[in-house]
Each structure stands twice: as structure tokens, then as C-alpha cells.
Amino acid sequence: MKDRISRANLRATRSSILGSYLNRAAQKSFFASLRISIRFAADEMGGDGKMGFARVCAVALFCSLILMSNFCGSCAYGLEDNQTAVLLVNASSHSGMRISDTLFGVFFEEINHAGAGGLWAELVSNRGFEAGGPNTPSNIDPWSIIGNDSTVFVTTDRTSCFERNKVALRMEVLCDNVGSIICPEGGVGIYNPGYWGMNIEDGKEYKIILHVRTAAEMKLSVSLTSTDGSQTLASSIITTAERDISNWTKVELLFTAKGSNAQSRLQLTTSNKGIIWLDQISVMPVDTYKGHGFRKELFALVADLKPRFLRFPGGCFVEGEWLRNAFRWKETLVPWEERSGHFGDVWMYWTDEGLGYYEFLQLAEDLGASPVWVVNNGVSHNDQVATPNILAFVQDTLDSIEFARGSPNSTWGSRRTAMGHPEPFELKYVAVGNEDCGKKNYLGNYLKFYYAIKAAYPDIKIITNCDGSSTPLDHPADMYDFHIYTSSNNLFSMSKQFDHTCRSGPKAFVSEYAVTGSDAGKGSLLAALGEAGFLIGLERNSDVVEMASYAPLFVNVNDRRWNPDAIVFNSWQQYGTPSYWVQQIFKESSGAIYYPSTIQADSSGSLISSAILWENLEENIKIIKIKIVNFGSNPVNFKISITGLQGTINSSQSSITVLTSSNVMDENSFDVPNKVFPVENFLPNAGTEMNIVISPHSLTSINLPLGPTTYISAI
């Protein structure tokens, strides 16, 4: 921050020479005029080289001021034409309202390959050959064969050593390095491209695990190679001469990459005739967040939002199109080789379930966020459990809570302890179902869950799927779920959604919100501004809104199931959409003090503002943060007045951050990841009275650190 302030002070000093009120365009024009005038003065008055430098500068300055006169006149005219507005902020101690400590968080759903091939760092797709189903022969996609019909025959059978995952790959090598059928150079075998390419980086370590069985004399080459196999980044040979693998054997290898390739693959090849079985094959980078298996770059983007909660694992992923394909948490508590995985029939792809219930709880802990566990209440998109038959599902949820919170000596707490986490996780929120309100059996099932959970864990806050923002709920709940996907105009206008909500009773959990449709694109500035206006409304109503999260959080560009999303990635790149950067600007709101602010303007329908006081604990300072969304297409001259402030504004460290772009439909991309990006600059003349021009189609954040309060005692 000190470097940023120093650079900002330098810019401010330079600008002050020209006058405090020249805008950026005026300064640019002034310097251009000055350059022209210097050339003119030097050519006309100092062509013989005898004219003094000071005289050249004086003449040049005089000429440039003449050239600028017309431009400055147009600047003044433009400012007069701008819409004007007054923003009044009441920062008195009695006017402040405490915002919910958990107002803004994140929602993770296994959609768009957010986990499998995303946040979960496993590089092998379909590592256990189970994605093709339990019947054999089966589809081994995305595994592919190296060789042809005359050299190798690959199929699947049910001979795995893992009882929960019986499918294994059987490879019969028909060629050899001697005899009538000679293997091609490099051998025959199989390869796995991962999730649209494995990102292998030079010098980094990768842990490879595979399970293998063969009675033949064989050398099996395990390699990380380029997409066509021509470049070998790391390799090792497993030979039957050195180890007995006549029975299923777990082989562990540690590779150090000697080269980089973002489109790498894992390949297993041999030039020895015989039959070999393979199963449960994994490639994991050693360098994951805290060794917990999370891809560090994606984890960092989420952590930078400072989320106060993590809602997981869905979403529709929790329900399934059919209950037989719903997420089953107990299936994920075993070692990864024994996790059965399942086909997510809502978003239509297989997950090996490396990212399971335990890992979600660990993720929340690593983020410093409260876990919000969304449980299946016996309802999917197409089938439902009748209320008289729901008790098994209720008990399943009680078991999941005991796993998270139970003592190490409890039945399920001991399972958590065995997985390496003896201390309980801080699970305080349980959402019963997802978007199930109105379905035939939901309310009856919900009540069974509610009373059973409250009897065992009275402190847990239970979230219903039924909306209570307009009319009171007809059943008990601590919070109610509110989802909204709409156009940018609609969402911006919904900043008043909770203005008239009953101030007592259950609070809102806006667990899914986003601008969607034609004006959202794949993540436009326009969408982000609509969302920013909505979030300001949530701040203002934080007495009745306890939590809010954007959806979806992640998308792998190779499998877009939903547009837009907050974070976009592939095997080796990632960036935040404008919606992500809006969340960055709002991240300090949780637990802050909200101050009332009023905009006075002839037409204020496209303007909305908020003011908060938050504490930067790292630097031990308090900061007034004023946010203004200009949803309109014209700049606005704001006169900002702050009254009742306890303390003084440190103008030397004040700043202004603006999120905008030249076109409302601008998006970020891998080529230009920061096309729409918050730009921070020093704010000169910061104080309780300020004049600031707010750009059209922008989110502006004015950051005013407070200096130490000075108390003067009467003598």
C-alpha cells in the first residue's frame, strides 16, 4: 500500500502544477499543446541555438495556454451539461447499523467442472474407469488407445481389487519387441488427457499412483508427455523383474517435470507381449494449497474475496434429476481409490468424488468461512420420497452433522478423526433442499428435518427453500432461501426487494443471484453493474438479509453449462469476470457499520449508493467506504457531504477505485483478463466535502481512511 500511495502522491504533485481541476483529458491536451508550443518557440525564436531555455519554456507555456483556452471552455461546458447530484452521508454514531458478519460469501456447486478438473487438483479424468458404468465392456472415455487393432486390445472387466469400484482396465498387448508382430517405437498402451489437457510445469513435482497386475514379464513405461506424445516431461519404468505385481499392487512414483506443457497427458506404454490390468490411476501436483488438494491459483481467487461462508455442494447437484444420482456424502468418506463416484445427471458429467464432504469442510476452514451444508431432503427434479418414508434421509443428515461436529469418540466424529481432523468443524448452517419449495412432499419432509435437527443441535440455523421476503412463512425456519436470475435492469431495480420485508422473523439467505440472459454475455460490465446495485440494496437491508452469494462460482471454458460465472479457467489460466470484481469491491461489507446515504438529483433512477465503516485489522485503521453505481449512460457531478463523522479523514491515503469500461458489453478473457478491472488512484482533496465526477456505467468506491481521533479536555 505504501508503494501505491507514493506513486499516487507523485501523480497528484504532477497534476497540481497544472491546476487541481484539470481532468485527465484536459491534462493530456495540455501536455500535447505544450509539446507543440515548445517546437514552435524553438523553431521561430531559437533557430540559431542562441535563445535561452527559460525563454523557450516561457513562450511555450504562453502559447500552450492560448491553445488550451478553447479546450478548457469546452470542458467547463461539458461539466455544466453533466447531471448533477448531491450525496449526503450521515456518519453519526447513532445512525450506524451493524451489517451481518456473514453477509457476503461464496457458493460452490459441482457445475461447469468447477471441482472435477477445476478446484480439485487431480489431473486424471475417470481415474478408476467407472465413468462408463458398472457393466462391462464399458466406455473408457477420455482414455484413448496408443496402437492399433493388430498390436493391442483394450477392454474393461470387473476384476478390480476395490469392492466398491469393481471395474478395471484390461490391456492385452499383441505385439512384442521380438517375433512376428513387432511393437511400434515407444510401445503401445493408453493415455489420459486429463480435463482438456494437464498443465505440467517445469521443475514442479507430481505424485503418480496406479494399481497394476500382470503375470507376464513386462516393462511398463509411465510418462507425462505432450499432447501428441513427442515431448517427454517425466518418465519412469515399472518392471516385473524388480517387483512382483502378479497380484494387484499399488505403485507410487514422484516425478519432477523437465519442461512445461499446458496440454500434457499421462501415458502408460509397453513393448512386451502379455496381459496387464490397470485401475485407480492418479496424477496430483504436490504443490496444492496446504497439501489439501486444492489448485492454488483457483483457491487464491476465492480466498481474495474473503468469503464469510461457503455454501456447498449445490445447487441442483444436491438433488439430481433422479435421487439415484444425487450427491451421497457417506460415499466420499473412504480413501479416494474406494470412492465410487457418480454421474451428475443435472450437469451431465461424471465426478470421481475426490472433492467430497470432508474436503468441502476443509475448504471452508481453509477459507476462514462458515460451512453451509445443503442436504438432500428426499426430493429430486423427478422423484420424491414420501414424508412417512423420510426418516432414513433425516438420520443421514444427523450423521453428517455428527461427522462435522461430533467428538472424536462419537460414531461419525471418529471417522472424521481417522481422516486427519480430530477437532470439530464449525458447522452452524444447514439448508434443507434446494429450490424444492412447492413440490408435493417438500414441506412435510422439511418439518421432519427441522424438528430432528433442532432437537439434537438447537444452535444450528436451518434454512428453508420457501421465500419469506414478501409474505410470512407458514413454517418454522431460521432463514429462507432466495434465488434470483434476471436481466441487469431488473436486478438493478431489485435493490429495493427487501425494503418492505417484515423486520422480524427469519432472515433472507440470497444464496444464488446473478444477471443472466442476453445482456450478461459470458460476464459483461453491464451484468456486473446490475449486480452491484442489487448488493447495495442488500447492504441497506442487512437487518433482514443475513447472507448472499453469487452463482455459479467457477466455469471451465471447455464445459460451459451456465453463463455467466465469476471465475473462468482452463488447465493453466484463470481470470475473474466483472461480476467477480464487483464482489471484490463489496468484500469489506460483512460485519461493517452501514451509514445511511441519500442521493438528491433531478433523476436518480440510475444511481444508487451506500456508505460503510469497516476496520482494516492488518493495518489497524478504520475506513469509510462510499460506493456509487451509475447505471446510466451519462457522467454525474457529485457533491459529497459527510456529516457526524467521529474522527478525521486522512486525505493523504484516500483513494478512489472505479470499475468501468468503454462498452457496457465488454468482457474479460484469457487474452485480456483485465479489460474490465477496478482501477485505483489517489484521491486528492479528500474530506467530508468533495466534488467527484462519476463515470457513466460504473461502480465507484471512495475509500477514506480515518486518522486517529484527537480528544481535547477542558481545563
Side-chain angles (χ1 to χ4, degrees):
M1 175 175 280
K2 290 180 180 178
D3 290 342
R4 174 180 61 76
I5 295 298
S6 297
R7 291 194 298 270
N9 283 333
L10 183 60
R11 289 193 298 270
T13 302
R14 181 185 63 193
S15 298
S16 67
I17 297 172
L18 306 178
S20 301
Y21 301 103
L22 285 180
N23 61 22
R24 187 181 302 173
Q27 291 180 23
K28 183 176 180 181
S29 180
F30 178 86
F31 284 119
S33 302
L34 188 58
R35 286 193 296 270
I36 293 170
S37 301
I38 288 174
R39 292 194 198 103
F40 170 80
D43 290 343
E44 297 300 320
M45 301 182 68
D48 59 357
K50 296 180 180 179
M51 183 178 181
F53 176 77
R55 291 182 63 196
V56 171
C57 290
V59 173
L61 182 59
F62 176 78
C63 293
S64 64
L65 291 173
I66 293 174
L67 289 171
M68 279 291 293
S69 61
N70 289 334
F71 178 82
C72 289
S74 66
C75 284
Y77 178 77
L79 289 173
E80 290 172 1
D81 275 1
N82 287 355
Q83 179 184 346
T84 60
V86 175
L87 175 60
L88 304 176
V89 177
N90 183 354
S92 60
S93 57
H94 65 273
S95 69
M97 175 186 70
R98 178 87 176 192
I99 294 175
S100 166
D101 287 336
T102 56
L103 183 58
F104 293 128
V106 292
F107 163 45
F108 182 98
E109 178 170 14
E110 183 58 87
I111 179 178
N112 305 320
H113 276 86
L119 183 62
W120 188 245
E122 172 63 60
L123 297 181
V124 176
S125 177
N126 189 19
R127 63 189 179 189
F129 306 101
E130 303 290 334
N135 299 318
T136 59
S138 57
N139 189 352
I140 63 171
D141 186 68
W143 291 91
S144 294
I145 297 172
I146 302 172
N148 57 38
D149 295 351
S150 66
T151 56
V152 64
F153 176 75
V154 175
T155 186
T156 53
D157 61 24
R158 294 184 57 80
T159 61
S160 174
C161 60
F162 299 105
E163 289 301 320
R164 298 162 61 90
N165 302 307
K166 290 303 296 181
V167 176
L169 183 130
R170 178 184 183 274
M171 182 169 69
E172 183 177 0
V173 181
L174 306 175
C175 61
D176 208 333
N177 51 23
V178 295
S180 59
I181 305 176
I182 302 296
C183 291
E185 184 179 357
V188 297
I190 57 173
Y191 72 85
N192 187 291
Y195 298 92
W196 303 279
M198 299 180 181
N199 182 33
I200 303 301
E201 299 180 78
D202 185 36
K204 290 197 173 181
E205 293 183 323
Y206 299 85
K207 186 176 183 179
I208 289 82
I209 297 176
L210 66 152
H211 297 77
V212 59
R213 174 171 72 92
T214 185
E217 292 185 5
M218 189 171 288
K219 292 180 179 180
L220 180 69
S221 175
V222 181
S223 305
L224 294 173
T225 74
S226 59
T227 188
D228 60 357
S230 62
Q231 176 192 17
T232 299
L233 304 172
S235 184
S236 183
I237 302 292
I238 300 170
T239 175
T240 55
E242 296 179 356
R243 69 173 81 196
D244 179 13
I245 54 175
S246 57
N247 295 310
W248 280 109
T249 302
K250 182 178 182 179
V251 177
E252 298 187 41
L253 304 169
L254 184 64
F255 283 177
T256 300
K258 293 177 172 52
S260 296
N261 193 312
Q263 299 295 317
S264 300
R265 71 188 195 186
L266 169 72
Q267 64 180 40
L268 300 99
T269 56
T270 183
S271 296
N272 300 119
K273 187 174 182 178
I275 299 174
I276 186 169
W277 283 265
L278 297 162
D279 197 14
Q280 297 299 338
I281 303 169
S282 169
V283 177
M284 281 286 282
V286 172
D287 187 24
T288 63
Y289 183 77
K290 288 187 174 180
H292 291 160
F294 307 123
R295 177 171 156 182
K296 292 178 76 172
E297 303 90 347
L298 297 184
F299 179 91
L301 282 170
V302 180
D304 284 349
L305 294 175
K306 300 190 184 302
R308 295 300 182 92
F309 66 84
L310 170 69
R311 179 181 184 241
F312 69 90
C316 298
F317 184 75
V318 170
E319 305 161 278
E321 286 293 327
W322 300 91
L323 282 172
R324 63 177 174 265
N325 289 321
F327 178 74
R328 304 290 183 173
W329 69 274
K330 286 179 180 175
E331 300 295 310
T332 71
L333 299 188
V334 293
W336 64 267
E337 299 97 329
E338 299 176 32
R339 298 187 185 188
S340 55
H342 85 285
F343 179 71
D345 59 357
V346 176
W347 306 120
M348 302 302 289
Y349 61 88
W350 175 266
T351 60
D352 287 318
E353 233 80 280
L355 189 56
Y357 182 50
Y358 174 87
E359 287 77 18
F360 278 120
L361 292 169
Q362 185 65 66
L363 175 61
E365 184 175 270
D366 287 347
L367 290 169
S370 295
V372 180
W373 171 220
V374 184
V375 301
N376 187 293
N377 67 103
V379 177
S380 78
H381 288 181
N382 290 295
D383 59 340
Q384 303 180 37
V385 175
T387 299
N389 303 333
I390 199 62
L391 289 185
F393 283 76
V394 174
Q395 185 59 52
D396 190 67
T397 294
L398 292 174
D399 292 346
S400 73
I401 298 172
E402 182 177 284
F403 176 86
R405 296 181 33 156
S407 74
N409 299 322
S410 64
T411 300
W412 290 100
S414 64
R415 294 284 296 273
R416 182 196 68 242
T417 300
M419 294 180 75
H421 202 288
E423 302 82 9
F425 290 105
E426 295 187 8
L427 178 62
K428 302 175 184 177
Y429 304 92
V430 172
V432 180
N434 173 73
E435 297 180 350
D436 294 329
C437 187
K439 294 180 180 177
K440 178 182 176 182
N441 295 331
Y442 177 71
L443 185 56
N445 291 1
Y446 168 84
L447 290 173
K448 293 286 188 180
F449 279 83
Y450 179 86
Y451 288 116
I453 294 171
K454 283 295 185 182
Y457 304 96
D459 63 307
I460 283 184
K461 291 188 176 182
I462 300 176
I463 304 159
T464 175
N465 289 176
C466 300
D467 178 17
S469 63
S470 301
T471 57
L473 297 172
D474 61 357
H475 55 276
D478 296 295
M479 285 188 280
Y480 57 86
D481 222 343
F482 184 93
H483 295 184
I484 180 64
Y485 297 99
T486 187
S487 68
S488 56
N489 282 326
N490 284 346
L491 195 59
F492 184 84
S493 67
M494 287 180 68
S495 63
K496 299 180 181 179
Q497 173 69 30
F498 297 96
D499 284 5
H500 304 293
T501 296
C502 178
R503 309 330 267 187
S504 61
K507 295 187 177 184
F509 180 16
V510 184
S511 63
E512 299 182 31
Y513 75 85
V515 168
T516 55
S518 59
D519 56 354
K522 294 179 180 178
S524 68
L525 170 65
L526 184 62
L529 296 179
E531 292 155 6
F534 179 66
L535 296 187
I536 283 180
L538 299 188
E539 287 180 327
R540 185 177 64 250
N541 288 288
S542 58
D543 58 323
V544 295
V545 178
E546 187 153 335
M547 295 175 166
S549 50
Y550 179 92
L553 180 61
F554 285 116
V555 61
N556 186 315
V557 292
N558 297 286
D559 190 35
R560 283 187 182 269
R561 302 281 168 166
W562 189 279
N563 276 320
D565 309 271
I567 298 170
V568 184
F569 66 92
N570 57 23
S571 68
W572 62 288
Q573 296 168 297
Q574 54 280 318
Y575 66 84
T577 62
S579 296
Y580 171 85
W581 294 113
V582 164
Q583 295 173 65
Q584 279 275 8
I585 292 172
F586 278 79
K587 66 184 179 183
E588 289 91 6
S589 296
S590 299
I593 303 299
Y594 176 86
Y595 289 135
S597 62
T598 304
I599 294 176
Q600 297 176 349
D602 292 338
S603 176
S604 60
S606 61
L607 300 169
I608 190 170
S609 67
S610 73
I612 64 168
L613 174 68
W614 70 281
E615 188 170 2
N616 185 332
L617 296 177
E618 293 179 359
E619 299 186 17
N620 194 29
I621 56 173
K622 293 183 177 181
I623 301 171
I624 293 282
K625 184 167 191 163
I626 299 171
K627 295 186 288 292
I628 302 172
V629 180
N630 183 357
F631 200 62
S633 56
N634 295 310
V636 180
N637 300 326
F638 262 94
K639 180 179 180 181
I640 300 175
S641 178
I642 305 172
T643 60
L645 184 63
Q646 301 295 308
T648 59
I649 292 173
N650 185 341
S651 59
S652 66
Q653 293 192 20
S654 296
S655 65
I656 182 169
T657 300
V658 181
L659 180 71
T660 190
S661 193
S662 58
N663 189 309
V664 293
M665 295 307 296
D666 279 349
E667 302 177 357
N668 293 332
S669 64
F670 290 128
D671 291 334
V672 190
N674 293 333
K675 186 172 187 177
V676 185
F677 182 81
V679 176
E680 184 177 23
N681 282 294
F682 173 70
L683 179 63
N685 303 316
T688 55
E689 302 287 335
M690 296 176 287
N691 292 307
I692 295 177
V693 178
I694 302 298
S695 301
H697 294 123
S698 67
L699 167 60
T700 299
S701 174
I702 301 166
N703 310 295
L704 308 171
L706 300 184
T709 303
T710 301
Y711 296 95
I712 302 175
S713 59
I715 298 177

